Amino acid sequence: MRKFHLEISGPSVIAQAKPDERKWGQFQFPKILKTENGGFYVHWDHGSDDHDYGFVVMDAVSDDGKVWRKREASDVVAYPKMKNGNYFAGFKKKGVTRSDYLNKYAHVLENPQNGAKCYFADDVAEMDDKTVWGIEIDSKTGDERYFECKINWPFMPLYTLKQDEVFPLTTVFFLANESFREIDGVLYAPVYAKGLNSDATNKNDAIPKYFTNGVYVLYSKDGGLTWDYLSQVLVDDETFNENPAFEGFDEPHIAQMPDGSFVMLIRTGSRHPSYITRSTDNMKTWSKPQVFDGIGVLPQIQPLKCGVTLSSYGRPILKVRATSDPSGMKWQDPIIISLSDLAPNSVDKSCYYTGLVPYGDNEALFVYADFNCKNQQNEPVKTILCRKITVVFDD
């Protein structure tokens, strides 16, 4: 392991909200991707943070990671290419369905506190909430089209969030839009769901002990048309937490390490620990999850060509962490990123969702939201910010 330290630049402003745009869900959850011309594309949500998913997407682009502008038609996001030459841009979102049609089927798990239930999707005849829609972007016109995906997932779940509120499977996949990866022409999507044991050999054994979120890795060899189940990471007796705020394993993020193995970071809830697990057989199996940090919503992991891997995560504080361990399992102590200190509660300072993307061999861009940055009128407003992280070797 090489010795190094991180140098983190001051923030540049990507965009700022209006002073009255203060509600949770407005101007937050930023994500960053590269563009085909070598620039950077940042987008974030603006609307209510609820399971209707009615928010709008706002965005900006930059050629250098410092100066940000409105996106133009020539700013094409560098999504993976499909065999037809178009881009695979992830999955379509759909809000919850408020319906009682699942009541005619036998559920296999139930949460007595809120009435949430889980079913074997194969037992359900109705297709609307079982259908997963992919997004294709025409490489010539930029037009966006939806197409139906074929999903091969043993004991695939279909579940309600509470009584008669069905969570669509296409949205299960949509939540992996910023974490799917292309490796050697194969797409990998780590999704999370209140699911079943997909490694079981029969339905009885597929019913887990805990009705919590679990992580499932699926892959596609045909550009997103067909998705096949590969592996899972489920909660067990040692990782289960009786706290009602414990969500199980969710918001996974996967990266390939310098030694060829894969490392996954996982959330378990707001103000709950994040976990780390590793695969040495191309994501077919995973090591026993270990605590990565005492916090961590949507933990990001980004290897750089120089051999250092970065991570960002937070709530109730914002952190950046790094390692030069080729296996990605031994990390330096985290660095706390300061936020505008104008709010008494941590949730009033940021959503703590972040994004990382390589900038150079030893650099990355880091995006996040600060809810109290001053605008030109000296008013505290929600702001999307970007910093550059540079790896400096000490040997």
Side-chain angles (χ1 to χ4, degrees), residues 134-154:
I135 302 173
E136 177 184 39
I137 296 179
D138 192 297
S139 59
K140 296 180 179 179
T141 66
D143 293 338
E144 186 175 283
R145 295 185 288 268
Y146 299 130
F147 61 91
E148 184 175 344
C149 301
K150 181 180 180 181
I151 310 298
N152 299 316
W153 180 357

Side-chain angles (χ1 to χ4, degrees), residues 19 24 38-39 45 94 160 176 189 210 228 325 346 362 365:
W24 184 262
D45 300 348
K94 175 185 175 184
T160 59
Y210 301 108
D228 295 302
D325 175 14
S346 66
N362 68 324
L365 293 185

